[in-house]
Structures are given as C-alpha cells and as structure tokens.
Amino acid sequence: YYSTVLQIKDRENISNTFISNRIEPLVFRRYSNFFNKSNPSMIIQEVYANDPRPLDDKVFYEMFADKELEVLCWGRRYQNKKQWALYQMAIDDINKIITLINNV
C-alpha cells in the first residue's frame, strides 16, 4: 500500500508540473479570451456573467484547431489514465488490508 501511495504522489507531481509548465502557459498566452461569458463552464459563467465586453466565440474554433494544444491534451489524458490505475491499485490494496484485519 505505501509503495502505491508513493507512486501516486510521484504521478500527481508529474501531472501537476505538466499542467503548470505546459498546458496553463499555452492556454493563458494564446487563449485568454477563452475566459468570457460565452464559455459553457458554470464557474466561468458565474465570474463573467456581467462582463460588458463583446463575446469572442472564435476562440473555441481556434482551440480545436491548435495541434500543440491537442498533443498536450492527449498527454494529459495519458496521465489521467495512469493516475486512475494507481488510485485503483490503492483501493485494491486497502481492501486487501481490510480483509486481513477482518480475518484476524
């Protein structure tokens, strides 16, 4: 179990570094206009609900056509799958520990 937890921490550090060093700078630099009231995210809509600036819907098309962003998203998807597998391993380990305790 403890080995799995260490692997989870390592994987989360890798993922967090990837997000903060690669994805966020690209999105903030190229797509700052993504953050506006036309964005369907509820949390973004709450912040920008009364924003008087005109909408910039073309940003969504630009983002979907951005190959570098696409590759970064695929990299993030890979990381999510790796993290999910580690979380499942931790759950399995905990269930084994519970079974051992219950059988004592």
Side-chain angles (χ1 to χ4, degrees), residues 29-40 48 51-63:
R29 185 177 62 253
R30 291 187 191 168
Y31 303 109
S32 60
N33 51 349
F34 173 75
F35 299 93
N36 66 47
K37 61 187 171 187
S38 68
N39 188 304
Y48 291 95
D51 188 346
R53 294 175 292 181
L55 297 177
D56 184 4
D57 292 331
K58 71 180 181 195
V59 67
F60 295 105
Y61 299 105
E62 292 170 1
M63 290 176 79

Side-chain angles (χ1 to χ4, degrees), residues 62-73:
E62 292 170 1
M63 290 176 79
F64 286 121
D66 188 325
K67 289 301 180 183
E68 183 178 1
L69 182 58
E70 180 179 356
V71 169
L72 292 175
C73 289

